[in-house]
Amino acid sequence: MPKKIKVVHYLNQFFGGIGGEEEANAVPQSRTGAEGPGRAINKILGDQGEVVGTIICGDNYFAENTGEALDEIVSMISEYQPDLFLAGPAFNAGRYGVACGEICKVVQDRLDIPAVTAMSEENPGAALFQQDIYIIKSQESVRGMTEAVTRMIGIGLSLLNDEPIGPAMIEGYYPRGIVKNEFTEKNGAARAVDMVLAKVKGDPYQPELVLPKPDRVKPAILHKELVFAKVALATDGGLVPRGNPDNMESNRSTRFAAYDIEGVDSLSPEAFEVNHMGFDTAMVNKDPNRLVPLDVARELEKEGVIGQIHNEIYTTAGVATSLESAKKIARGMVAAMKDNGVDAVILTST
């Protein structure tokens, strides 16, 4: 009977069943067997293998103690002596995705075992680690769990068995920038002509090498001295008046809001709160100035370092917001600031 493949699986505090944002500071812990999505891994693997151990860590703990967390997690993983390491899927959860990518890379480098994860295109972890590891393209939510886990296992088994892995567009992972030679019936010139003709006719075609198209943002120049400038405060941390009167979205935002702060020297917890699903809001709700530093900005204004603080705060919630929505929100904010004579903006995040 063939030897069963031993898999170790990484999950954050939510998928590991510990809790939500209130448990985001959970320290790394090891559990024997499968937890949460790990059961889907066992089902898909069948007789080929099983999840022998699950490593769980809070998103905040990992983000704030990365080096220490990596050492702890790698040590826990090595105790199981696994054949394969899987992380996630992280879907559109940014901190989770970054952790999955970071851990897979380190496990691959230190333990020399195959490591695979999955996340959506909007997840920052995809752009950060797609050249280092295999990252499966997933949907934004858990609706895509089965498909993502199936593809993760497929790539993992291919790596484990030293089998060739097909192109990213076929296998469903993010391109890694690796170019390989292949024999085809037509040479490059003929294939290029075929693609040009297909494009001219409006027929579907697939480029053989998809190049990234990064946004190129030219840094803005402040055309007056700061002591004469009107400066606005903005955040993607979800600051809203208490009670969220405008029903601002806590994730997947499509709009922004502007709130009056004329004559206000400091943001009080009685007047403001945070509406955001991507981080533990407890500390900011105690003191909203931790997210939007109006108190310090007013001090700089009184000292003459800043000419004037604009009388409105611009706010939205950035978590899981699509790139197109983010661009739309940014254009709206900038237009409103220009209409109000704003010269510069201090943008704070989580």
Side-chain angles (χ1 to χ4, degrees), residues 48 50 62 78 99 113-114 116 122-123 152 194 205 214 248 277 289 307 309:
Q48 296 182 85
E50 64 179 335
F62 186 89
S78 63
I113 60 173
V116 186
E122 297 294 337
N123 197 308
M152 285 168 62
D194 287 344
Y205 68 95
M248 294 297 292
M277 289 185 66
N289 295 284
I309 299 299

Side-chain angles (χ1 to χ4, degrees), residues 21-205:
E21 282 299 323
E22 72 280 1
E23 295 294 340
N25 289 307
V27 300
Q29 55 187 272
S30 176
R31 296 183 181 177
T32 302
E35 297 282 344
R39 300 185 183 98
I41 295 174
N42 279 346
K43 185 175 180 180
I44 295 167
L45 279 172
D47 294 333
Q48 296 182 85
E50 64 179 335
V51 175
V52 295
T54 303
I55 310 299
I56 304 170
C57 181
D59 287 333
N60 282 355
Y61 182 86
F62 186 89
E64 296 169 7
N65 307 275
T66 303
E68 181 182 344
L70 281 171
D71 289 340
E72 293 179 77
I73 289 168
V74 170
S75 176
M76 291 176 179
I77 294 169
S78 63
E79 290 180 2
Y80 290 101
Q81 297 184 326
D83 304 299
L84 175 64
F85 178 74
L86 301 176
F91 303 109
N92 64 352
R95 290 167 300 161
Y96 188 19
V98 172
C100 286
E102 188 85 61
I103 296 167
C104 281
K105 183 178 184 299
V106 170
V107 165
Q108 181 178 269
D109 294 343
R110 292 190 195 176
L111 302 183
D112 195 28
I113 60 173
V116 186
T117 185
M119 60 193 76
S120 70
E121 289 188 75
E122 297 294 337
N123 197 308
L128 286 171
F129 296 102
Q130 70 181 74
Q131 292 187 327
D132 301 306
I133 59 174
Y134 281 97
I135 304 177
I136 299 298
K137 289 184 178 182
S138 79
Q139 295 183 33
E140 290 189 352
S141 70
V142 294
R143 289 193 299 270
M145 178 69 77
T146 301
E147 179 185 4
V149 170
T150 301
R151 287 185 178 273
M152 285 168 62
I153 292 171
I155 293 291
L157 293 178
S158 294
L159 291 169
L160 190 58
N161 297 321
D162 200 24
E163 297 171 348
I165 296 174
M169 65 190 75
I170 295 174
E171 301 283 0
Y173 60 88
Y174 292 98
R176 301 186 61 197
I178 299 172
V179 180
K180 296 182 179 179
N181 292 325
E182 291 184 355
F183 290 100
T184 62
E185 294 181 1
K186 294 183 178 181
N187 63 26
R191 298 197 306 277
V193 170
D194 287 344
M195 282 190 282
V196 170
L197 292 175
K199 184 174 182 179
V200 170
K201 293 177 183 177
D203 295 338
Y205 68 95

Side-chain angles (χ1 to χ4, degrees), residues 251-269:
N251 66 93
R252 303 172 189 266
S253 296
T254 59
R255 56 199 172 99
F256 71 95
Y259 295 112
D260 184 42
I261 54 168
E262 188 170 6
V264 178
D265 289 333
S266 179
L267 300 176
S268 72

